[in-house]
Amino acid sequence: MSTSEAITNGVRVRVASQYLPEHSHANQSERQWFFAYTVKISNEGIDTVQLVSRHWVITDANGRTEEVRGAGVVGAQPVLAPGESFEYTSGCPLKTAYGTMRGTYQMVTDDGQQFDAEIAPFALNVPYAVN
């Protein structure tokens, strides 16, 4: 399991990833490794904030990079008052047994200020694999 954590303007983003062998196809011609990641977004600031969009940068072991942008996360655009948190789990397929993810969440405060909350880099890796 790999973890990361970052705080931007009072918004803490914690991520933990894990390999899911039951959803992976490492021994077939179309090789694919599948990873789950759980994100906890906590508002430790003094302003209410809303997550409006996401931007992920996913890089595999061959250096191939894919960028993913979209509204909200898992169909939600959570509003977090001070002291509140939102947690979700999602997944990522890779064509290699190792990679990394990083990114940002675009946040808006209740008075309209926008900022990007950092998602610190974390590894996607098969346990005991040689990188």
Side-chain angles (χ1 to χ4, degrees), residues 28-100:
Q28 298 178 0
S29 61
E30 263 311 297
R31 296 168 62 121
Q32 178 175 284
W33 288 263
F34 196 82
F35 301 88
Y37 56 92
T38 299
V39 180
K40 183 175 184 181
I41 305 160
S42 302
N43 184 357
E44 299 177 358
I46 58 171
D47 296 313
T48 296
V49 295
Q50 180 176 18
L51 187 158
V52 293
S53 65
R54 68 189 181 283
H55 175 213
W56 286 106
V57 179
I58 306 162
T59 305
D60 70 16
N62 295 326
R64 183 178 162 271
T65 298
E66 178 183 357
E67 294 194 43
V68 177
R69 297 175 188 269
V73 290
V74 294
Q77 292 181 314
V79 175
L80 302 174
E84 292 184 335
S85 296
F86 179 80
E87 185 171 299
Y88 73 96
T89 300
S90 191
C92 177
L94 282 183
K95 299 232 182 259
T96 61
Y98 177 80
T100 60

